[in-house]
């Protein structure tokens, strides 16, 4: 316990400094995602504060940062616009429908955690994980390109001339500082991202550079500024929205989609942070924390959120490891809103873009280029597919598609591994020694191995090197026995697991005469869920 306390105290400095850096980087992202969703910037900032604070205290992955994200914001666009259309002209009920949807989204996420669905993230293959990381790095990079535009007459146009060169120069300076500081032995422990933001900010302010700042970014998007008060309960949500079947039908699909996207992104980020820190987080605990945070943020007028991979990597790279880093980031964000808005609004956007570009470089799995010719083609296809879908659509679609393709490839390859070695006993009995996994994908190949018509009168099937995995396999064995008996031939089954024998005994009493009991019968179980199925195949 003493060593644990010492370790936590020794990292307080890193947690605090990293938390401040994350808070600075959170401001433009939370504001940008609020604009994407079509709501006031404070709705995004309050979400970043509440979700970030609650998940940092109660979440299953210390050091992981949560807040308003783009993956959720793009879904909320249609939710807000359709919600506005449901009310009378001028009522603008879309915002209140958003709050109600976020509350229901949180409840769904809590149920997922209570039902321990977080464990299924372990079924996500490595190519899917690499594709997710690469795709998200590309998405972050593309999102930052929008910062190289300015608003003229209500339209976004690319920067040109000296403004563009100044922007590129400040971004490059930020990246150079972040790259160079760790190269200096005496400066290795300094928070390079925070120092880069401060240095570039001082240069831009004292040199009076005409560059975009956090304040101008908010005003260009239609916001009035960063300053606001403490978040308050939005109890009017329950009076503004008619809580009837029509309302539930409207918000439920959005709640399910948002809950799925939020949990997938959070659990994938949790896995990534696990790899970076060589520690293990708790997926089910994180599901409950994410859900609780979204219920609270919906009640207090926030747009909801989930884990943020970019901010989480900034935190980890900056030395943040404990819960304190996330707490500091959330509290500092609130302080910015309440007291420091005038200072934060002067921070040049170029400094934050430079930090995010370094995050992109650190996030992208560059090793994927090196291993392209060394991994199976199916895995390479999955990696590219998930990367592309993450960029074109969203994380949930990409990960689900990647897992489905990986599962189909695995099932196909496993199905081709079923073998049957044939030999004859001295008494004329034909022995079929089955090798390989017997499951729904391999039963057709399994049944093709037998020649019921031309086999001798006595046949024995030995499953000693096979794994009977699911009910489809049991049904295939049952049908095979039926065929041999219909041909008036004797058949015996050997080396079946206890659970498989029980199922066959229940299907027909005759199997008590067909199955040969042996001391060395296998002790595996039939798969009750996909995780057991995969685990069983790998163990065999």
């Amino acid at each position: 316990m003493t060593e644990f306390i010492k370790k936590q105290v020794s990292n307080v400095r890193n947690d605090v400094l990293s938390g401040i850096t994350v808070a600075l980087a959170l401001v433009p992202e939370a504001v940008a995602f609020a604009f994407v969703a079509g709501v006031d910037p404070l709705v995004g900032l309050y979400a970043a504060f509440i979700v970030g604070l609650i998940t940092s205290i109660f979440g299953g992955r210390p050091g992981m940062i949560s807040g308003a994200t783009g993956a959720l914001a793009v879904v909320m666009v249609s939710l807000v616009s359709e919600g506005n259309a449901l009310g009378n002209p001028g009522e603008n009920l879309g915002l209140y429908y958003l709050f109600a949807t976020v509350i229901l989204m949180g409840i769904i996420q809590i149920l997922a955690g209570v039902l321990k669905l977080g464990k299924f993230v372990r079924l996500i293959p490595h190519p899917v994980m690499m594709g997710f990381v690469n795709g998200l790095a590309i998405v972050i990079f593309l999102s930052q390109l929008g910062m190289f535009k300015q608003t003229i007459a209500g339209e976004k146009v690319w920067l040109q001339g000296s403004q563009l060169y100044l922007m590129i120069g400040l971004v490059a300076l930020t990246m150079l500082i972040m790259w160079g500081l760790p190269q200096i032995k005496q400066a290795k422990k300094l928070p390079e991202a925070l120092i880069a933001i401060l240095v570039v900010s001082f240069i831009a302010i004292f040199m009076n550079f005409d560059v975009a700042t956090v304040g101008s970014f908010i005003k260009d998007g239609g916001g009035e500024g960063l300053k606001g008060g403490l978040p308050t309960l939005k109890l009017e949500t329950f009076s503004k929205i008619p809580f009837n079947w029509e309302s539930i039908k409207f918000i439920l699909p959005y709640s399910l989609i948002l809950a799925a996207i939020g949990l997938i992104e959070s659990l994938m980020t949790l896995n990534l942070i696990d790899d970076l820190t060589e520690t293990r987080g708790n997926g089910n605990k994180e599901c409950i924390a994410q859900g609780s945070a979204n219920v609270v943020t919906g009640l207090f007028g926030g747009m909801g959120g989930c884990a943020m991979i970019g901010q989480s990597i900034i935190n980890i790279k900056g030395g943040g490891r404990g819960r304190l880093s996330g707490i500091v980031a959330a509290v500092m964000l609130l302080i910015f809103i309440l007291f420091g808005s005038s200072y934060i609004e002067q921070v040049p956007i170029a400094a934050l873009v430079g930090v995010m570009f370094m995050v992109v470089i650190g996030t992208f799995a560059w090793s994927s280029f090196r291993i392209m010719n060394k991994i199976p083609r199916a895995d390479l296809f999955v990696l590219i597919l998930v990367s592309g879908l993450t960029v074109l659509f969203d994380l949930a679609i990409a990960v689900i598609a990647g897992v489905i393709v990986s599962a189909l490839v695995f099932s196909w390859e496993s199905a081709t591994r079923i073998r049957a070695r044939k030999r004859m006993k001295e008494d004329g009995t034909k022995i079929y020694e089955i090798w390989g996994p017997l499951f729904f994908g391999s039963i057709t190949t399994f049944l093709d191995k037998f020649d019921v018509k031309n086999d001798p009168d006595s046949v024995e099937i030995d499953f000693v090197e096979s794994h009977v995995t699911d009910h489809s396999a049991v049904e295939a064995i049952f049908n095979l026995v039926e065929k041999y008996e219909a041909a008036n031939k004797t058949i015996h089954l050997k080396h079946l697991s206890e659970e498989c024998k029980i199922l066959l005994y229940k299907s027909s009493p005759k199997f008590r005469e067909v199955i040969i009991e042996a001391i060395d019968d296998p002790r595996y179980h039939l798969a009750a869920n996909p995780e057991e199925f995969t685990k069983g195949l790998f163990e065999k």
Side-chain angles (χ1 to χ4, degrees):
M1 178 61 73
T2 304
E3 290 181 3
F4 175 77
I5 293 173
K6 285 182 179 178
K7 184 178 179 182
Q8 296 302 310
V9 172
S10 66
N11 203 51
V12 166
R13 175 178 165 278
N14 288 338
D15 282 342
V16 171
L17 292 176
S18 184
I20 295 172
T21 307
V22 169
L24 287 169
L26 271 173
V27 173
E29 289 218 355
V31 171
F33 296 146
F35 288 149
V36 169
V39 296
D40 189 87
L42 283 175
V43 175
L45 291 168
Y46 286 151
F49 162 65
I50 296 171
V51 174
L53 182 64
I54 293 176
T55 54
S56 295
I57 297 173
F58 302 106
R61 176 64 266 176
M64 190 165 78
I65 306 298
S66 296
T69 65
L72 298 178
V74 293
V75 178
M76 294 173 180
V77 177
S78 57
L79 166 63
V80 173
S81 61
E82 289 180 27
N84 287 333
L86 291 177
N88 296 322
E91 277 189 314
N92 293 328
L93 294 181
L95 186 61
Y96 296 102
Y97 275 109
L98 172 62
F99 297 154
T101 302
V102 170
I103 293 171
L104 183 55
M105 160 195 174
I107 294 171
I108 294 169
Q109 291 177 327
I110 292 172
L111 289 175
V114 171
L115 297 174
K116 300 188 182 301
L117 300 182
K119 65 183 179 180
F120 286 103
V121 74
R122 285 177 279 172
L123 293 178
I124 297 175
H126 190 64
V128 175
M129 190 67 186
M130 290 188 75
F132 152 75
V133 169
N134 290 350
L136 216 49
I138 296 171
V139 169
I140 294 172
F141 173 77
L142 294 176
S143 69
Q144 297 307 304
L145 293 182
M147 302 299 181
F148 288 83
K149 293 181 177 181
Q150 61 180 338
T151 303
I152 298 178
E155 292 186 9
K156 288 279 186 180
V157 294
W158 291 101
L159 294 173
Q160 294 181 351
S162 60
Q163 282 187 314
L164 177 61
Y165 301 142
L166 188 56
M167 178 77 170
I168 294 174
L170 292 177
V171 170
L173 177 60
T174 305
M175 296 175 70
L176 181 63
I177 294 171
M178 289 186 65
W179 173 82
L181 272 181
Q183 311 301 321
I184 303 172
K185 187 176 181 181
Q186 293 80 1
K188 277 188 175 180
K189 293 185 177 180
L190 295 177
E192 64 268 16
L194 179 58
I195 291 175
I197 291 172
L198 292 175
V199 169
V200 173
S201 297
F202 284 135
I203 291 174
I205 292 169
F206 287 111
M207 297 294 290
N208 199 25
F209 286 151
D210 182 20
V211 293
T213 62
V214 171
S216 65
F217 177 77
I218 293 174
K219 289 170 184 175
D220 284 347
E224 297 180 0
L226 187 63
K227 188 172 179 58
L230 288 170
T232 56
L233 273 172
K234 300 292 183 183
L235 296 178
E236 61 266 30
T237 299
F238 301 100
S239 58
K240 293 273 187 182
I241 297 176
F243 276 87
N244 50 35
W245 178 240
E246 293 301 318
S247 295
I248 294 174
K249 278 200 304 183
F250 173 65
I251 67 173
L252 182 59
Y254 282 109
S255 297
L256 289 170
I257 293 170
L258 291 171
I261 293 173
L263 288 183
I264 290 173
E265 185 160 357
S266 297
L267 294 173
M268 294 284 280
T269 305
L270 182 146
N271 266 5
L272 181 62
I273 302 302
D274 282 354
D275 291 340
L276 291 174
T277 59
E278 297 182 353
T279 56
R280 177 60 66 88
N282 187 322
N284 294 318
K285 189 176 180 181
E286 186 63 35
C287 290
I288 295 174
Q290 291 284 342
S292 303
N294 280 313
V295 170
V296 175
T297 193
L299 291 171
F300 279 87
M303 61 183 283
C306 63
M308 306 177 76
I309 185 171
Q311 309 305 327
S312 298
I313 291 177
I314 290 176
N315 188 41
I316 296 301
K317 298 291 185 184
R321 292 293 185 274
R323 298 185 184 278
L324 182 60
S325 58
I327 295 171
V328 169
V331 172
M332 287 302 299
L333 184 60
L334 182 62
I335 291 173
F336 295 159
I337 296 171
L338 296 177
F339 310 111
S341 60
S342 60
Y343 300 105
I344 302 303
E345 287 177 2
Q346 297 181 56
V347 174
I349 288 293
L352 302 174
V353 171
V355 172
M356 295 309 295
F357 278 170
M358 291 301 287
V359 168
V360 169
I361 294 171
T363 301
F364 196 90
W366 300 101
S367 60
S368 55
F369 293 113
R370 176 171 46 81
I371 64 173
M372 276 188 172
N373 295 326
K374 301 177 182 179
I375 60 175
R377 289 183 179 179
D379 288 344
L380 179 60
F381 173 75
V382 169
L383 193 158
I384 296 172
L385 174 70
V386 174
S387 299
L389 291 178
T390 301
V391 175
L392 295 175
F393 298 100
D394 61 58
L395 175 65
I397 291 175
V399 172
I400 291 171
V403 170
I404 290 173
V405 172
S406 296
L408 290 173
V409 170
F410 177 75
S411 298
W412 176 260
E413 291 180 350
S414 298
T416 60
R417 292 189 185 124
I418 195 78
R419 299 285 186 275
R421 289 191 288 264
K422 305 165 189 176
R423 60 184 177 86
M424 299 294 293
K425 276 187 177 180
E426 293 181 359
D427 62 0
T429 300
K430 187 174 183 179
I431 307 293
Y432 285 92
E433 292 180 350
I434 307 302
W435 180 92
L438 184 59
F439 66 109
F440 65 90
S442 62
I443 56 175
T444 302
T445 307
F446 166 74
L447 294 173
D448 289 341
K449 304 294 181 185
F450 299 92
D451 187 0
V452 177
K453 183 178 180 181
N454 298 316
D455 277 348
D457 292 337
S458 180
V459 175
E460 182 180 307
I461 305 176
D462 191 344
F463 292 90
V464 68
E465 293 185 43
S466 179
H467 188 159
V468 180
T469 306
D470 58 8
H471 180 68
S472 297
V474 174
E475 189 68 22
I477 294 171
F478 178 84
N479 292 334
L480 185 62
V481 170
E482 291 276 292
K483 288 180 180 179
Y484 274 106
E485 290 187 341
N488 295 318
K489 296 180 180 181
T490 304
I491 182 171
H492 290 95
L493 309 177
K494 192 175 180 181
H495 291 126
L496 289 169
S497 71
E498 193 63 32
E499 190 172 343
C500 184
K501 286 187 283 188
I502 290 172
L503 286 174
L504 288 172
Y505 292 156
K506 286 181 179 179
S507 63
S508 176
K510 66 184 176 185
F511 280 101
R512 297 190 179 276
E513 300 176 3
V514 171
I515 297 173
I516 301 174
E517 298 284 351
I519 297 176
D520 58 344
D521 280 345
R523 297 179 181 274
Y524 58 78
H525 299 282
L526 296 182
N529 58 52
E531 186 177 19
E532 287 185 17
F533 168 65
T534 310
K535 181 182 177 184
L537 286 178
F538 279 126
E539 284 180 351
K540 189 66 184 177

